[in-house]
Amino acid sequence: MIRFDRVRSVDGRPVLVVRTTLPSRMFPGFIDLDMTDRSLYQVMRDEYGVQPAGGHRSIEAAVLSAEDARHLAAPAGLPALRIEERDKNGGGKGI
C-alpha cells in the first residue's frame, strides 16, 4: 500500500489534511512522483490509465489526532470532521 498526506490551505492557513491510500500493485513507481501542485485524479488517469468513476463518501465527527494536529499547527483533540472516500474505477473495482 502507498500512503501519503497532503495539506490544503486557505489564505496560507492549513485547514485540511488529505490522507490517501492506494494499492501499490495498481500504481507502480507512484512514490517517486512529485505530487506538489498535481491533481491525484489526473495523475491516476494520465500516468496509470485509471479513471475513478464513482464511490462512497462518509462524513463523521472526530477529534484531531496528534499527527493531523502537527500538519495543521493546531492542538490535538480539537473537534474535527473526518471525510472518508472510497473510489471505484469504471469496472466497479475499488481503487
Side-chain angles (χ1 to χ4, degrees):
M1 294 303 278
I2 300 164
R3 179 179 178 247
F4 68 101
D5 295 343
R6 293 191 285 173
V7 177
R8 303 288 189 214
S9 298
V10 174
D11 294 330
R13 182 173 172 236
V15 296
L16 175 70
V17 177
V18 178
R19 181 162 293 120
T20 302
T21 305
L22 299 169
S24 54
R25 64 180 163 65
M26 289 180 69
F27 302 98
F30 185 88
I31 59 171
D32 297 322
L33 298 176
D34 180 2
M35 291 300 295
T36 305
D37 297 325
R38 293 183 75 185
S39 162
L40 175 60
Y41 285 178
Q42 183 175 359
V43 169
M44 290 169 65
R45 183 186 65 238
D46 295 349
E47 303 285 333
Y48 298 97
V50 175
Q51 179 70 43
H56 174 77
R57 181 179 290 167
S58 63
I59 302 172
E60 65 183 13
V63 295
L64 199 57
S65 69
E67 181 180 10
D68 291 342
R70 280 190 301 277
H71 284 306
L72 300 175
L78 286 178
L81 289 177
R82 176 177 294 121
I83 303 169
E84 184 172 314
E85 185 173 325
R86 297 186 183 268
D87 292 323
K88 295 182 179 183
N89 64 18
K93 286 190 167 191
I95 299 174

